[in-house]
Amino acid sequence: MVLASAWIKFWEIILTIGFGSFAILVLIVIPLGARDVLRLFRKLDADSIEKNKPQD
Amino acid sequence: MFETQFTNLDWVIVIVYLVGTGLLGMYVNRHVHNASDYLVGGRGAGTALSIASFIGTGLGLVTLMYASMDGFTKGFSYLVVPLIAFIVYLFLGTSGFAIRRLREMKLTTLPEYFEKRFSRQARITSGLIAVLAGVLNMGLFPKMGATFITYATGFGGEDAELTVNLITTLLILLVLVYTVMGGMVAVLVTDYIQFVVLSLGLGLGLWFCFTDLDNNLGWANMVTTWQNAKGEAAFNPVHPESYGWTYFIWQIVIVFTAGICWAPEATRALTTQDSATTKRTFLFGAPGFFVRMAIPAVWGIAAYTYVFHHPELHDYFLGENAAGHASQAMPLLLGKIIPTGLLGLLVAGLLAAFMSTHDSYLLSWASIISQDIIAPLKGVDKLTDQQSILYTRISVVLIGIFLLVWGIWYELPESVWTYMSITGMVYLSGSATALLGGMYWKRASTCGALWAMYGGLLAISGLFVESIQDWYEVEYGASITYWFNGPSLTLTIFGICILLFIAGSLMFPDSEQQFIAQEDE
């Protein structure tokens, strides 16, 4: 019974750390991810224009 | 008994969401200008987008289903698997072990590594085995997705098989159209949206599991119910009545090797801007890899608690004929405890997650077919952009047809996670040995790599373990389950692959000429 209680406490701590760190990650990744999407589109279009430029 | 709070309003939300995501996938297609854009998003994904996509790929409806199934049957003990993932990804992210080198080699697919390090034959062999293992691995995905939708929306019941099969077919068609149209840019963008919606959805589901005391849920009720039902085995993963030590070691091996060379996840390491971004993606993605299995496991734990306290469901889920019903418990629970409207949003998010996993997986395996099997067999170093996209799209459709047939005919096992681990080992045991050996052991040779990869094929026998166990018990009247099971068998095969790799490399070293060519690479 003592061992089971120790495991219960262990999982409680692990879940708190895991869910807490994920919540922080979500708050950071959502705005920065949106910025990266726009940058990706710009990069892909710029690369394509660069490739299609006529050679001198 | 199987009614849920899913109404017409929820259907409208789901349809609007799915159509919107599909249109977005087609819209971003205008930014795809060549094969590199289609297959690796032009290697232009920044850290935040890479993390979102990395987690979005792993955070599929399928993951939620298999984790909840094990949560339902094994309780809190299953949390050891997400904990292992958390630690492994933290390690890979901080050390850059293997993943940094892979990114620096500027590969499009993983089997390309085997040509650069060993030979073209090694690349083709690795590609063939990766596709075999990968397609078998995802063989149950559509059926699990369909099971979720059927039971969360209230269509479930004892005669729901036809409904599940029809929804399986619809889902496969939807995901095929979407993947063929968009490619990796669509994957990256929609993974991001899925990440946003799912993060909220997961939190929502968890909130109700922890706060719905009217249905006997909440942390204290869940702990007490499990303690009374299964004792210490519900919390201690190495308890003899739970998973045990062999399973624990097996999971460390699988999660570690999959993080490095399981194509859908490892491809994320190849699509980043540089190797520093790859490391950051793994490091900051670690909480996501914990949560993607831990939250559904808690849902499964809550589903057991719910069923335990509802006598009308007791027999169906916990009675003598309950085998095969574990997959239905979590969706039914969510359908019962989450209010209308929010339920629609959650189902839409999970359906989107289903598509997110499928497009990544389909694209990963299909690009291996086109780049690592067809191109080398045609004797060319590189396919043209048009050929590359065409072959990838054809492969996506062919895999989709296989999924349809396999998904409808194959019965869901009691633990889908174990099935996936076994099929994953077909590729991982040989290829991870060859990949890591090739990176960190100078004397590694083509012969050693090929022997290891062929050795990995033995892991297919893991799919027949239960039949062999049953046969032995009938034939000899004794159980061999303790020492002959999926984990012990595939771990032994992994050991055999390492021995084959060392023996092949020592007995048949690469020629001097081959060695110089590899050094130049």
Side-chain angles (χ1 to χ4, degrees):
Chain A
M1 224 29 155
V2 176
L3 199 56
S5 304
W7 275 107
I8 292 165
K9 193 72 200 162
F10 175 73
W11 290 127
E12 201 177 341
I13 294 168
I14 292 293
L15 288 177
T16 308
I17 294 171
F19 293 163
S21 55
F22 183 69
I24 295 168
L25 181 79
V26 167
L27 291 176
I28 297 169
V29 165
I30 288 178
L32 295 184
R35 183 201 62 185
D36 281 353
V37 168
L38 297 175
R39 278 186 183 169
L40 173 68
F41 288 164
R42 278 200 291 270
K43 179 185 179 296
L44 293 174
D45 293 341
D47 286 354
S48 161
I49 292 167
E50 192 64 32
K51 269 186 190 168
N52 293 332
K53 260 187 188 169
Q55 300 290 319
D56 292 331
Chain B
M1 184 160 98
F2 293 96
E3 305 82 26
T4 65
Q5 307 198 57
F6 201 89
T7 62
N8 288 338
L9 171 69
D10 297 297
W11 277 119
V12 172
I13 294 171
V14 170
I15 291 166
V16 168
Y17 186 91
L18 287 182
V19 171
T21 320
L23 289 176
L24 187 75
M26 292 178 193
Y27 172 77
V28 299
N29 200 25
R30 61 203 277 264
H31 296 283
V32 175
H33 304 287
N34 54 48
S36 166
D37 295 352
Y38 183 78
L39 296 175
V40 287
R43 291 202 172 87
T47 306
L49 182 57
S50 291
I51 293 170
S53 176
F54 192 46
I55 297 173
T57 302
L59 193 64
L61 177 51
V62 178
T63 314
L64 305 186
M65 286 293 284
Y66 68 65
S68 74
M69 285 168 76
D70 270 53
F72 184 82
T73 51
K74 298 286 186 184
F76 293 80
S77 295
Y78 179 72
L79 292 172
V80 75
V81 178
L83 181 60
I84 291 170
F86 191 49
I87 294 167
V88 164
Y89 281 90
L90 280 181
F91 168 74
L92 291 175
T94 45
S95 67
F97 179 73
I99 55 169
R100 187 178 53 81
R101 287 201 193 187
L102 284 175
R103 176 61 190 86
E104 283 168 357
M105 291 174 83
K106 292 187 178 169
L107 309 167
T108 305
T109 62
L110 270 178
E112 245 182 274
Y113 164 83
F114 294 105
E115 181 167 1
K116 288 193 174 182
R117 175 61 181 85
F118 298 110
S119 66
R120 180 161 286 190
Q121 195 190 352
R123 177 182 181 174
I124 297 172
T125 308
S126 163
L128 280 169
I129 296 174
V131 172
L132 171 72
V135 174
L136 272 178
N137 187 267
M138 70 182 295
L140 298 181
F141 287 13
K143 192 161 197 169
M144 279 198 289
T147 303
F148 175 86
I149 293 168
T150 306
Y151 283 84
T153 54
F155 286 122
E158 295 184 25
D159 305 314
E161 200 175 338
L162 180 64
T163 315
V164 171
N165 287 342
L166 281 174
I167 296 178
T168 304
T169 312
L170 278 175
L171 287 177
I172 290 173
L173 289 175
L174 189 68
V175 85
L176 281 183
V177 170
Y178 175 72
T179 313
V180 166
M181 297 299 293
M184 187 52 88
V185 178
V187 168
L188 285 168
V189 175
T190 48
D191 273 356
Y192 168 73
I193 295 168
Q194 256 85 287
F195 173 81
V196 176
V197 175
L198 270 183
S199 304
L200 301 174
L202 288 178
L204 184 75
L206 204 57
W207 169 262
F208 282 100
C209 287
F210 283 142
T211 57
D212 192 350
L213 301 179
D214 294 342
N215 280 310
N216 296 96
L217 298 178
W219 177 261
N221 281 331
M222 291 196 279
V223 166
T224 313
T225 304
W226 275 92
Q227 204 163 12
N228 292 339
K230 304 212 173 172
E232 192 192 321
F235 307 95
N236 178 358
V238 292
H239 191 280
E241 285 170 30
S242 183
Y243 290 110
W245 279 105
T246 316
Y247 192 94
F248 179 70
I249 295 165
W250 188 50
Q251 286 304 310
I252 295 175
V253 171
I254 286 175
V255 174
F256 184 75
T257 51
I260 295 167
C261 61
W262 188 244
E265 265 101 26
T267 304
R268 289 295 169 283
L270 313 178
T271 56
T272 55
Q273 286 165 341
D274 48 46
S275 56
T277 310
T278 300
K279 278 180 69 178
R280 279 198 298 273
T281 302
F282 275 70
L283 178 64
F284 295 118
F289 272 80
F290 173 78
V291 159
R292 73 177 191 139
M293 288 192 270
I295 290 184
V298 172
W299 290 354
I301 291 166
Y304 182 91
T305 311
Y306 182 91
V307 165
F308 195 85
H309 293 285
H310 285 78
E312 75 275 15
L313 295 169
H314 214 274
D315 265 2
Y316 184 77
F317 284 105
L318 305 174
E320 280 179 10
N321 299 318
H325 297 164
S327 61
Q328 302 155 11
M330 181 275 281
L332 187 65
L333 169 85
L334 295 183
K336 294 232 181 235
I337 66 170
I338 296 182
T340 302
L342 285 179
L343 186 58
L345 265 180
L346 181 68
V347 171
L350 292 178
L351 256 177
F354 174 87
M355 286 167 53
S356 159
T357 307
H358 273 73
D359 56 28
S360 294
Y361 270 65
L362 283 170
L363 207 56
S364 295
W365 305 128
S367 19
I368 289 177
I369 294 175
S370 69
Q371 307 290 313
D372 302 306
I373 299 173
I374 297 176
L377 286 176
K378 279 172 81 99
V380 293
D381 281 338
K382 210 174 165 216
L383 295 169
T384 64
D385 277 2
Q386 286 84 353
Q387 283 175 327
S388 190
I389 294 176
L390 176 71
Y391 289 132
T392 304
R393 284 178 170 163
I394 292 173
S395 307
V396 165
V397 174
L398 290 178
I399 296 172
I401 293 169
F402 169 81
L403 292 181
L404 187 61
V405 176
W406 187 262
I408 287 175
W409 289 104
Y410 196 90
E411 288 286 324
L412 283 185
E414 197 59 27
S415 171
V416 173
W417 175 240
T418 302
Y419 165 89
M420 287 172 63
S421 298
I422 289 171
T423 48
M425 285 297 271
V426 173
Y427 170 70
L428 292 175
S429 45
S431 291
T433 304
L435 187 136
L436 294 176
M439 266 185 195
Y440 297 102
W441 189 38
K442 273 200 160 187
R443 295 179 69 178
S445 77
T446 302
C447 179
L450 288 173
W451 282 11
M453 288 178 200
Y454 293 138
L457 287 172
L458 292 171
I460 292 179
S461 59
L463 291 178
F464 308 104
V465 161
E466 280 180 24
S467 313
I468 296 169
Q469 287 170 342
D470 293 344
W471 167 81
Y472 193 91
E473 196 159 349
V474 170
E475 197 73 15
Y476 298 101
S479 171
I480 51 169
T481 314
Y482 181 74
W483 58 270
F484 182 78
N485 48 51
S488 64
L489 178 70
T490 47
L491 270 180
T492 308
I493 289 166
F494 192 74
I496 291 172
C497 289
I498 295 173
L499 290 177
L500 286 171
F501 180 70
I502 295 171
S505 298
L506 293 178
M507 287 162 67
F508 302 98
D510 285 338
S511 64
E512 195 69 21
Q513 209 177 4
Q514 220 175 340
F515 190 74
I516 291 166
Q518 288 162 4
E519 288 281 293
D520 288 345
E521 290 278 357

